[in-house]
Amino acid sequence: MPGALGRPSLARRLVLLAFGWSLAALVISAVVLALLFRQAAERRVDQTLSELIDNLLSNSTVEAGEVFAPALTDERALRAYSGRYWTIAAPTPEGRVRPLVRSYSLFDSELPTPADLVSRLKANPAEPIAYDTRGPLEEPIRARARYAVLQGVPVIFLAAEDRTSIDRSVLNFAAWTAGAFALLGAGLVAAIIIQVRVGLRPVFELQHEVAAVRRGKAERLQGAYPSELVPLADELNALLAHNQEVVERQRTHVGNLAHALKTPISVMLTEAGQRPGPLAEVVSRQAETMRQQVDHHLRRARAAARTQGQGERTPVAEVLDELSRTLERIFREKGVAIDWDAPDELMFLGERQDLLEIAGNAMENACKWGRSRVRVRAAATGAERFRLTVEDDGPGLPPERRAEVVRRGARLDENAPGSGLGLSIIDELGRAYGGTLKLGDSPMGGLRVEIDLPQAEA
């Protein structure tokens, strides 16, 4: 699921949200089921204890004010500390419980009772009371008490049973339920992830199409999208068309201005050439500078327009080979040797003319100022960028002068031929392609020029 660093993607957010409420629903369901199971188990025990109390109540007798218990055949109540107990007791004036008859299973012990048991039973005689307490062996027991009057004698019937098996059953049920719900949760998470991936696939396809437009592989979005994404795709296409229209309009304005200036500049150069003199030399020199500036800005406007349109793929190795051969012939008398290297599969995402101008200006500058050796390297720095490095063995350039020579028209030597636009052209064309120009010291002793440029996919 793609996403920016430190920023959750939409797919991850949807998965986390769905996982959160699913987990909450499963946990609540598991707790509710465990509680319901426990209540059902306690109701079954309470029912058993109620039946035991009913038998005691229906078969107990009173003779001369003394209560006699029936002869019950419950074997568990006949074994000491068996886990099933009963007691027939009488309430005391102080609100306590005084045992009258108890089961053999209690042996020499008594069933614990709450301090307010008598008052609660008398307040609602028809409603039995169930409570949890500890048995003779400190085992957890479930007890039930009922109030009755036998032949004018108030009596409290108590019955209890070891609830260890209940608690064990509840724990086992909770464990199995947790395991089953964990498997169900894992299945739900997997289903949610699949659903989100399938549901967001058109969004990912839209992202890929936008990336293709940005890389120059396509001019507009053409995919078949769901109705919810069609308005977004249409708006993006409209934005692309608008941007292209703006770029073309600006390019036309710059071109018209450049062409409008070329005619008067040509007239000025012609007139100055026909009238020799100091003034004519100044006019010729400045008019020539104006023409070069116009050509430079026209080229830059065209490059900016091309970067907004459909990209082209230019083999870097072919351009460097062509430039090396040409420059070695031009600087043959100086004996300059150009050592270049670039992978055959490395492609510049732009027009060949622009790469020729960028690399050509850098290499020509190195040949001009270098003594005899120029080294050129081009290598990818990532999936979408590559770096062109040009070095020479010349005198180099002091750090304090590097920012100066990048300015338009700045020159290291005013007596040297040229307009001083070489490094400026490299910088501005590189910026038009989203790149940067960096000047540094070369291990060869001269200047090191690094240009960052876009790379087309192989």
Side-chain angles (χ1 to χ4, degrees):
M1 302 176 197
L5 184 62
R7 184 183 304 167
S9 66
L10 176 60
R12 188 177 295 113
R13 290 177 181 177
L14 292 176
V15 170
L16 291 177
L17 180 62
F19 174 75
W21 67 255
S22 299
L23 179 62
L26 291 176
V27 170
I28 293 174
S29 300
V31 172
V32 170
L33 285 176
L35 291 176
L36 292 176
F37 182 84
R38 176 173 180 155
Q39 291 177 1
E42 289 179 347
R43 282 197 298 268
R44 288 196 301 269
V45 175
D46 290 345
Q47 181 64 28
T48 301
L49 297 179
S50 294
E51 292 176 358
L52 178 57
I53 291 175
D54 289 341
N55 288 334
L56 291 172
L57 176 61
S58 61
N59 294 296
S60 296
T61 59
V62 178
E63 296 180 4
E66 186 177 356
V67 179
F68 293 91
L72 300 178
T73 58
D74 190 342
E75 294 184 358
R76 293 186 60 187
L78 299 176
R79 297 195 310 271
Y81 310 130
S82 63
R84 178 167 293 179
Y85 315 103
W86 58 264
T87 297
I88 300 176
T92 65
E94 295 82 11
R96 299 180 179 275
V97 176
R98 179 172 60 85
L100 300 176
V101 185
R102 58 190 176 190
S103 64
Y104 290 107
S105 56
L106 282 171
F107 196 55
D108 56 352
S109 303
E110 297 181 4
L111 286 177
T113 57
D116 60 346
L117 179 64
V118 175
S119 60
R120 291 167 60 191
L121 288 173
K122 287 184 176 180
N124 192 2
E127 185 67 26
I129 294 176
Y131 61 93
D132 295 317
T133 185
R134 291 286 174 175
L137 301 179
E138 290 300 316
E139 76 275 24
I141 60 173
R142 178 76 173 175
R144 196 170 180 85
R146 182 174 176 180
Y147 182 83
V149 179
L150 297 178
Q151 300 179 12
V153 178
V155 179
I156 296 177
F157 293 92
L158 299 169
E161 186 169 341
D162 187 352
R163 62 170 300 144
T164 302
S165 60
I166 299 176
D167 296 337
R168 186 182 300 113
S169 298
V170 172
L171 288 176
N172 290 337
F173 178 81
W176 280 102
T177 302
F181 275 36
L183 292 176
L184 178 59
L188 285 176
V189 170
I192 290 170
I193 292 175
I194 294 173
Q195 182 178 359
V196 169
R197 293 293 298 185
V198 173
L200 293 181
R201 182 177 296 170
V203 178
F204 299 146
E205 293 176 353
L206 180 62
Q207 174 192 356
H208 295 153
E209 274 214 87
V210 172
V213 172
R214 180 177 62 84
R215 295 189 182 100
K217 292 185 174 181
E219 294 184 354
R220 55 182 288 112
L221 307 178
Q222 298 178 344
Y225 298 106
S227 57
E228 294 82 1
L229 293 181
V230 169
L232 175 60
D234 292 342
E235 290 297 328
L236 287 174
N237 281 329
L239 178 62
L240 292 171
H242 175 71
N243 287 344
Q244 185 65 28
E245 181 183 351
V246 170
V247 171
E248 290 294 337
R249 188 184 306 124
Q250 296 301 323
R251 177 184 177 186
T252 300
H253 289 335
V254 172
N256 291 340
L257 177 61
H259 289 296
L261 291 174
K262 279 186 176 182
T263 299
I265 290 174
S266 298
V267 172
M268 292 171 63
L269 287 171
T270 301
E271 291 296 325
Q274 293 177 355
R275 299 180 182 181
L279 179 60
E281 291 181 3
V282 172
V283 172
S284 296
R285 186 166 58 251
Q286 296 302 319
E288 180 63 28
T289 301
M290 292 171 60
R291 185 171 65 181
Q292 291 173 349
Q293 292 280 359
V294 168
D295 291 340
H296 162 66
H297 286 288
L298 183 58
R299 287 194 301 269
R300 186 169 180 265
R302 288 171 178 169
R306 286 194 292 266
T307 60
Q308 298 294 326
Q310 183 174 0
E312 295 187 10
R313 298 159 54 88
T314 301
V316 177
E318 291 184 8
V319 171
L320 296 184
D321 181 60
E322 177 183 337
L323 288 172
S324 297
R325 294 175 184 273
T326 302
L327 290 172
E328 284 180 346
R329 285 196 298 268
I330 293 175
F331 292 92
R332 180 180 302 170
E333 294 183 0
K334 191 175 182 181
V336 174
I338 300 177
D339 173 26
W340 68 270
D341 181 66
D344 293 337
E345 65 276 7
L346 187 62
M347 297 287 176
F348 168 61
L349 183 59
E351 289 200 0
R352 180 185 182 87
Q353 183 61 36
D354 293 334
L355 182 59
L356 281 169
E357 191 158 3
I358 293 172
N361 276 283
M363 294 170 66
E364 182 180 4
N365 187 73
C367 291
K368 183 186 301 181
W369 295 101
R371 293 185 177 90
S372 60
R373 294 172 53 232
V374 173
R375 184 167 60 196
V376 183
R377 295 289 184 269
T381 57
E384 299 180 356
R385 311 295 296 182
F386 77 94
R387 180 172 297 149
L388 177 65
T389 304
V390 181
E391 302 172 278
D392 63 73
D393 60 350
L397 183 63
E400 61 272 13
R401 299 289 308 279
R402 291 169 187 169
E404 176 186 348
V405 298
V406 176
R407 296 200 309 268
R408 281 197 312 271
R411 298 165 61 181
L412 292 176
D413 186 354
E414 294 295 334
N415 296 320
S419 62
L421 293 173
L423 291 177
S424 174
I425 291 175
I426 297 173
D427 182 51
E428 294 190 0
L429 277 178
R431 289 177 182 274
Y433 281 98
T436 56
L437 170 65
K438 181 180 178 181
L439 304 181
D441 295 324
S442 169
M444 300 172 62
L447 182 65
R448 177 186 179 94
V449 179
E450 294 182 353
I451 309 107
D452 182 57
L453 295 169
Q455 176 189 181
E457 294 183 359

